[in-house]
Amino acid sequence: MPDALDRGLKHIVVDPRCFVEAGMKNTEWLPIKPGADLPFCLGFLHTMMYDNAKDLDWEAIKYRTNAVYLIGSDGLYVRGASGKPQVWDLADGKAKEFDDATVSDPAVEGSFKVGTATVKPGYAVVKDDIKG
């Protein structure tokens, strides 16, 4: 971290108390009211998903997170016959196990029919929930 700060990294601490981290070189401390961390985080998430979505690392979201796992109306993962969570492969237009080697383009947004159920990727569920 010290090397990154020397290269120009800007470290911003958002906390109601000024801890040691806020006193580091090249650091900015943004005090918030105690108990306001959840609204702050939800607002930050809303900004990322709606205002700055083009700047997100979509490759990481698609291939290194569970944001593409399909979620049913019960709020649980949609699972296949093997019990593994499913993803929607946009290339083939069907649900597949998350670790299926043939998944080439997992969906991040949208809603899909799996059997008789309408399901969404986890990212889409969170995005809809914070829409406000």
Side-chain angles (χ1 to χ4, degrees), residues 103-114:
V103 174
S104 61
D105 190 14
V108 178
E109 296 192 68
S111 61
F112 310 97
K113 281 284 201 189
V114 175

Side-chain angles (χ1 to χ4, degrees), residues 15-71:
D15 199 310
R17 298 164 292 188
C18 186
F19 279 112
V20 172
E21 294 86 6
M24 293 175 62
K25 176 181 169 187
N26 297 329
T27 299
E28 185 175 346
W29 172 52
L30 297 175
I32 60 173
K33 293 180 182 178
D37 48 346
L38 180 60
F40 172 81
C41 289
L42 291 173
F44 189 76
L45 192 58
H46 185 279
T47 299
M48 285 175 36
M49 294 176 120
Y50 283 95
D51 300 334
N52 297 334
K54 66 179 176 33
D55 297 325
L56 295 177
D57 185 348
W58 290 106
E59 289 297 308
I61 291 170
K62 284 184 170 191
Y63 301 107
R64 296 189 191 122
T65 73
N66 64 354
V68 295
Y69 288 13
L70 297 176
I71 308 294

Side-chain angles (χ1 to χ4, degrees), residues 51-131:
D51 300 334
N52 297 334
K54 66 179 176 33
D55 297 325
L56 295 177
D57 185 348
W58 290 106
E59 289 297 308
I61 291 170
K62 284 184 170 191
Y63 301 107
R64 296 189 191 122
T65 73
N66 64 354
V68 295
Y69 288 13
L70 297 176
I71 308 294
S73 60
D74 58 1
L76 301 174
Y77 291 148
V78 174
R79 297 179 183 273
S82 69
K84 293 180 179 180
Q86 303 283 291
V87 300
W88 188 265
D89 188 1
L90 293 169
D92 289 340
K94 64 180 181 179
K96 298 179 179 179
E97 292 180 353
F98 77 96
D99 59 354
D100 186 326
T102 66
V103 174
S104 61
D105 190 14
V108 178
E109 296 192 68
S111 61
F112 310 97
K113 281 284 201 189
V114 175
T116 60
T118 301
V119 300
K120 292 181 177 185
Y123 180 92
V125 172
V126 172
K127 187 174 178 180
D128 289 348
D129 283 350
I130 65 159
K131 190 174 193 173

